Amino acid sequence: MASRFDSLIQRTIPAFRNKRMTLGTSSVGFVPTMGALHEGHLSLVREAREKNDIVVSSIFVNPTQFGPSEDFDKYPQQLQEDARMLEELGVDIIFAPNKDEMYTDNHTTKVMPEIFETTAEGKSRPGFFTGVSTVVTKLLNVVQPTNAYFGQKDAVQCCVIRRIVEDLNIPTNVVIMPTVRESDGLAMSSRNAYLTPEERMIAPVVFKSLLAGEQAWLDNDKQASADEIVAEVQKVLNQEPMVNEVQYVSVDSNINMLPIDSVGPEGCCLSLALKCGEVRLIDNIVFGATR
């Protein structure tokens, strides 16, 4: 059935490129997403709209970054509603391919940022960063943006993307924007829709625990061991019985997201992943950052 968004949404790479050519050679801001948009995504789009002549957003639920027991089949999809929100913010093109468009029958090439598979998030989701790296590289090749916008909530992913762009000499500026949070501190995520009302009430404990870890560092004149910081995070999480699986709490370098043993005035990135009920939540904070 025809939609008023048909001229805005391009579903194939040739169609996207043809549409892109009609808009000239001005600066292009790109916001890649998997859809189910929330205020976090929309804040990236607003920044792109303010700083670029042309704005492109993609909507593609990438199967290669989901593990066999993860939520690919139930990941929320609402293309028409997402298109409405993007249109209202002045997006010029939405690239919304299907799996066969992005991964043809003969597709064999992967981008494998091996060092990041050893991070806490990489160990908890084997193959995830290969899937992310491959699809982001493909999207950057298709869109060829001047600037690409990502949210700090996915901290390791941001580091991976910066590494890919530098290592593969992709002529795109990677812009990382602060995590957007609900009024109670919960980081905005499409997966928050999975939370039951009871789980949603206690989910802010994630951010609360990270702040406790940062406070331990601040209270000791910005000096603390990783073990001391992790202990403060765990102390807060242990008070909430609905947190039934803490997959990791990680203290990592701000530069390469690899683990560090102690944190000085230079700070760190403190991140965690856990299950609240059956819903996997991730979050992170950069010590000393304005929020």
Side-chain angles (χ1 to χ4, degrees):
M1 188 170 84
S3 161
R4 71 185 180 93
F5 302 117
D6 285 350
S7 62
L8 184 65
I9 299 171
Q10 305 302 319
R11 295 182 179 274
T12 69
I13 294 170
F16 171 83
R17 287 176 168 160
N18 288 338
K19 178 74 171 180
R20 169 69 185 85
M21 287 178 63
T22 68
L23 299 177
T25 57
S26 303
S27 62
V28 177
F30 176 45
V31 181
T33 82
M34 294 205 301
L37 302 182
H38 52 70
E39 182 56 33
H41 299 111
L42 301 183
S43 70
L44 302 180
V45 174
R46 292 189 193 97
E47 182 72 8
R49 181 70 283 168
E50 181 179 341
K51 300 293 174 59
N52 300 273
D53 300 309
I54 298 166
V55 177
V56 175
S57 186
S58 62
I59 298 174
F60 176 61
V61 182
N62 176 39
T64 67
Q65 68 190 66
F66 288 79
S69 61
E70 294 184 351
D71 58 346
F72 175 70
D73 290 333
K74 67 175 185 176
Y75 195 87
Q77 298 190 48
Q78 51 180 45
L79 180 59
Q80 294 300 306
E81 176 62 14
D82 290 341
R84 181 192 64 76
M85 289 188 280
L86 294 174
E87 180 189 52
E88 289 179 356
L89 292 180
V91 168
D92 298 288
I93 314 176
I94 299 171
F95 180 47
N98 61 25
K99 175 182 177 291
D100 292 336
E101 184 68 18
M102 293 298 287
Y103 300 103
T104 62
D105 290 342
N106 296 320
H107 188 283
T108 58
T109 303
K110 297 179 180 180
V111 180
M112 304 177 69
E114 293 180 350
I115 193 170
F116 292 100
E117 298 290 355
T118 67
T119 63
E121 181 70 3
K123 290 177 180 177
S124 71
R125 300 183 73 186
F128 171 72
F129 288 118
T130 294
V132 168
S133 300
T134 301
V135 77
V136 169
T137 301
K138 289 170 70 69
L139 288 169
L140 293 178
N141 282 336
V142 171
V143 177
Q144 299 186 359
T146 313
N147 302 295
Y149 296 82
F150 301 87
Q152 172 65 29
K153 175 178 165 288
D154 300 298
V156 185
Q157 182 173 301
C158 291
C159 196
V160 169
I161 292 164
R162 280 178 162 156
R163 185 80 268 137
I164 291 168
V165 165
E166 183 173 338
D167 289 353
L168 300 183
N169 306 112
I170 298 172
T172 295
N173 177 45
V174 176
V175 181
I176 308 301
M177 300 293 293
T179 300
V180 177
R181 299 183 180 278
E182 304 285 0
S183 59
D184 58 9
L186 178 65
M188 290 191 177
S189 169
S190 300
R191 288 185 170 94
N192 290 350
Y194 299 157
L195 294 166
T196 66
E198 295 79 10
E199 291 164 352
R200 175 62 186 84
M201 285 183 64
I202 66 94
V205 73
V206 176
F207 186 47
K208 181 181 177 182
S209 72
L210 293 173
L211 293 178
E214 182 184 38
Q215 193 61 48
W217 171 74
L218 291 170
D219 288 346
N220 200 39
D221 198 25
K222 297 185 178 180
Q223 298 282 344
S225 71
D227 287 345
E228 290 169 335
I229 293 167
V230 170
E232 291 301 314
V233 174
Q234 291 280 13
K235 188 184 300 183
V236 174
L237 296 177
N238 290 342
Q239 296 171 9
E240 180 45 67
M242 289 186 70
V243 173
N244 57 13
E245 180 186 345
V246 178
Q247 296 180 344
Y248 65 80
V249 179
S250 190
V251 179
D252 301 311
S253 162
N254 285 328
I255 298 171
N256 58 21
M257 290 301 296
L258 295 179
I260 54 178
D261 294 326
S262 61
V263 184
E266 73 283 354
C268 68
C269 180
L270 174 62
S271 62
L272 63 77
L274 56 75
K275 283 197 172 180
C276 178
E278 294 301 314
V279 183
R280 186 177 192 266
L281 300 176
I282 64 169
D283 200 355
N284 70 86
I285 59 173
V286 176
F287 280 19
T290 302
R291 66 180 71 89

